[in-house]
Amino acid sequence: MSVINKIREHSGVAVGVIAVSLLLFIVGGDLLGGRNLFGGNQQEVGEIAGQSIDVQDFNAKVDQLRAQYEQQTGRAPGDQELTQLREQAWNQLLFDIAYQKEFDKLGLKVSPEELYDMVQGNNISPAVRQAFTNPQTGVFDKSQIISYLKGMRNLPPQQQAAWATFEQSISENRLRDKYEGLLRMSNYATNAEAEKEYQAQNTKANIKLLFVPYYAINDTTVKVSDSELQSYLDKHKDEFPGVDSRSIQYVTFSVAPSKEDSASLYTEIKTLARGLGAAGNDSTFAQQNSDVRVPLYMTAGEMPEQLRASIPTFAPGGIYGPFREGNTYFIYKYGGTKTDTSYTARASHILIRPTAQTDSAKADARRRAQAILEQIQGGANFEVLAQQNSADGSAQLGGDLGPFKNNGQMVKPFESAVFGATSAGLIPRLVETDFGYHIIKVTQPKTNQLYRVVGIGKTIAPSQTTRDEALRKADQFASGVSNQDEFNAKVKEEKGLVVATAERVPEGANQVNALTDARQLVRWAFEKKTDVGDVSEPFEIGDQYVVAVLTNKTSKDDVKVSDYKNELTAKVRNQLKGEQIISKLGNASGSLESIAQKYGAGALVETVDDVNLATGFLRSAGVDPTALGKAFGLKAGQRSKPFAGEAGVLIVEPTQITPAPAIADYTMYKTQLQQNSAARTGFYINEAIKEAAKVEDNRARFY
């Protein structure tokens, strides 16, 4: 599902988004005239199916979307929103030109009767349904559509035209759905394929293996020649596609606030503290003076740690702080408590996801989760195990999910477990949800007591003097170097500078490593006059100045070894290591333990039970399709010869193979195969259409 969602996000579902925006506009206001942001330049911004797209026409589409955005949000789009609007405009052009050619070939259309059905019939379009659903009650009322359409002739001509555009949009979206549906329905899984998938998922093996990882041989002892790299590239061209990219190295000169800036702000916030204490309408005073939004009411769990520690000393009207969080100072005024209508709690979790939606995969996931739970109950560190095992973004935070309410923010089983706990601590059972199996630790039990804390946050901003000094340092560095060697030498001279590397940056990139809004840097790297070794002038990106040197160029039409030097070297080096290891193992005989002992340092002997061919995991060897295939191709008790796998050389020896039980109906597995195939088809539809249309996207040269 995620693949299809991603493709739709980037390749045309913008039609639906535009449709909803149009309808919201029609119901809510007047049409604004488009304004040209970029001038009347007639240069070509791209080409789709042989049709040139000049920048003026493209900008007109962007302006139309921008007007809708401004009408809907009440503000002008920022740089990031403008980038998204340009992406929507480009996707609309892809649809109007490339997709429409495919629709015409197949004779696909949306009839007037079908459009009527989508707008006011029995199969209402989701876009229409969303726009005419009461936001307070969540109830959709078809009579509102009919009433609106009856009054259409009394609306201004601009709104009538906008409605026509909206209907065209939902028609186009239906066309795309029809086209994708036809191609997806062309996928078919046979009974033989379904049976093979069933066998792969349910035939189990206990495997004993000898594993010598490639890293057991030091990289420095294996020399890789340029001819070997070229030979590998020639044989694996499909794995290393050509791309237009640039590689750079850069140094940054931070515009971080100085000690003087910090001291000045500290003095200011102390003055504000006195004003907050004396203010009659303290919440208004705070809003007028705060750089950041601070909630008026918070539970103890939602408070910053320093403020929470002050709760025992709270007194009505008392001022607490300043507390520093990053570059922001906070002060708070306590104003009593009240009872909330809902509860808030805080918890951490470790999520173990099944590798597939099958009974065996779910059972494997449950076993893993239960083993981790037992480790924690035995004294293991929850946060460490979360970082090592959890399958969601909270892992890097030790599993911490932060505060949340019992209002449906979390899925029901998870919410019930957390808010059913009466105290902090580990929940002594696994909690199963649609996401997988959760090991949960309640860090702050539920509470509905809210504290009124009026807060002011003031962020330390660099003074103009600080900015000028950072720019002076960046200018001095850039003016003293003219090529990569001088760049590297200068870095060594100046203490504190750290060189960052960005490999294969695409022409349309907005971000370079951690540098956001870095378009000016990327555009410099792609300018025709910028050669490898050239050093840039300082660019102001965020709160820092950046000086870069261009280190490499790659072309989609000419793939060189240097384009993938690191990746190719790793591949060839492992290939050579594999040959060395296999040679050293020779015609090994005896037990795997004796072979490992004879081989020496680096050789491991492990056993893995209940492995299946579809999702098998071989402990230290990881996921290795080659090893699994060899193991399941042997009979119990047979042993393979040494062979090179994904992460090292293996000898596999299945000790027991349990065939999958016979079943009469493979429908479930046929459905799985068809769904997986349909998901992949969704991706390839867009790629195939773009390839057939010979799309050339030159937007990065203009924006």
Side-chain angles (χ1 to χ4, degrees), residues 434-689:
D434 291 340
F435 297 100
Y437 296 94
H438 304 259
I439 302 146
I440 303 172
K441 182 175 74 171
V442 178
T443 52
Q444 291 168 4
K446 66 179 181 182
T447 178
N448 63 347
Q449 184 179 42
L450 293 175
Y451 295 84
R452 187 181 190 273
V453 279
V454 180
I456 295 177
K458 299 294 289 184
T459 301
I460 307 170
S463 64
Q464 189 58 48
T465 301
T466 302
R467 288 188 172 277
D468 290 345
E469 177 60 16
L471 178 57
R472 185 192 67 79
K473 290 180 179 178
D475 273 332
Q476 187 178 47
F477 179 93
S479 62
V481 297
S482 59
N483 56 55
Q484 188 170 359
D485 290 338
E486 292 178 0
F487 181 96
N488 293 334
K490 191 75 170 177
V491 168
K492 292 179 180 179
E493 289 177 13
E494 298 195 17
K495 295 180 180 179
L497 288 181
V498 177
V499 177
T501 300
E503 298 284 356
R504 291 196 293 275
V505 178
E507 189 174 9
N510 289 301
Q511 182 168 332
V512 176
N513 292 346
L515 302 177
T516 57
D517 297 326
R519 282 298 303 152
Q520 54 183 331
L521 175 59
V522 176
R523 291 184 68 181
W524 166 82
F526 277 88
E527 286 178 358
K528 290 184 178 179
K529 64 181 182 181
T530 304
D531 294 322
V532 172
D534 285 356
V535 179
S536 75
E537 295 296 318
F539 293 109
E540 186 176 5
I541 301 176
D543 287 331
Q544 56 199 332
Y545 289 97
V546 178
V547 178
V549 57
L550 186 66
T551 57
N552 191 34
K553 293 182 178 182
T554 68
S555 169
K556 65 180 179 181
D557 300 321
D558 183 19
V559 183
K560 297 183 176 68
V561 165
S562 58
D563 297 350
Y564 291 96
K565 186 68 175 283
N566 293 336
E567 295 89 334
L568 289 167
T569 300
K571 292 280 190 182
V572 175
R573 184 187 290 127
N574 282 346
Q575 197 175 68
L576 297 174
K577 286 181 179 182
E579 293 170 2
Q580 287 185 25
I581 295 169
I582 291 172
S583 176
K584 186 175 178 180
L585 286 169
N587 295 319
S589 60
S591 67
L592 292 182
E593 287 82 2
S594 66
I595 297 172
Q597 186 175 11
K598 182 180 178 182
Y599 180 88
L604 307 171
V605 176
E606 297 178 336
T607 58
V608 189
D609 294 335
D610 289 334
V611 179
N612 66 41
L613 187 58
T615 59
F617 184 81
L618 300 176
R619 296 186 63 181
S620 298
V623 177
D624 194 321
T626 301
L628 285 170
K630 285 186 177 292
F632 278 87
L634 297 170
K635 295 179 180 178
Q638 288 184 324
R639 178 187 297 173
S640 73
K641 293 181 178 180
F643 63 90
E646 296 290 323
V649 171
L650 300 97
I651 300 174
V652 295
E653 181 181 296
T655 57
Q656 179 180 339
I657 296 180
T658 305
I663 60 173
D665 187 4
Y666 297 104
T667 301
M668 181 179 77
Y669 297 92
K670 181 183 288 190
T671 301
Q672 284 180 14
L673 289 172
Q674 291 181 178
Q675 288 175 343
N676 292 339
S677 180
R680 291 191 297 271
T681 301
F683 171 79
Y684 290 118
I685 288 172
N686 188 63
E687 295 305 306
I689 287 179

Side-chain angles (χ1 to χ4, degrees), residues 202-218:
N202 294 279
T203 298
K204 299 294 180 67
N206 296 342
I207 302 171
K208 189 173 184 180
L209 57 90
L210 181 146
F211 176 59
V212 184
Y214 295 132
Y215 63 74
I217 298 178
N218 195 306

Side-chain angles (χ1 to χ4, degrees), residues 194-270:
E195 181 179 0
K196 184 178 179 181
E197 180 66 17
Y198 167 74
Q199 296 289 343
Q201 292 185 24
N202 294 279
T203 298
K204 299 294 180 67
N206 296 342
I207 302 171
K208 189 173 184 180
L209 57 90
L210 181 146
F211 176 59
V212 184
Y214 295 132
Y215 63 74
I217 298 178
N218 195 306
D219 286 353
T220 59
T221 65
V222 181
K223 304 302 180 184
V224 179
S225 68
D226 290 342
S227 61
E228 288 172 322
L229 296 177
Q230 185 64 57
S231 177
Y232 190 92
L233 176 61
D234 292 341
K235 293 176 182 176
H236 300 84
K237 287 183 178 179
D238 291 345
E239 297 177 28
F240 301 95
V243 292
D244 290 323
S245 74
R246 300 292 184 267
S247 296
I248 62 172
Q249 290 184 329
Y250 60 90
V251 291
T252 60
F253 298 83
S254 176
V255 192
S258 65
K259 292 181 179 178
E260 291 77 14
D261 298 333
S262 179
S264 175
L265 180 69
Y266 189 80
T267 301
E268 179 187 353
I269 204 163
K270 294 284 279 188

Side-chain angles (χ1 to χ4, degrees), residues 350 369-389 398 426 439 441:
I350 300 172
Q370 185 64 40
I372 294 170
L373 175 61
E374 291 172 0
Q375 287 183 59
I376 297 169
Q377 290 171 328
N381 185 283
F382 186 99
E383 288 71 24
V384 171
L385 289 177
Q387 291 171 351
Q388 295 173 346
N389 297 281
L426 183 71
I439 302 146
K441 182 175 74 171

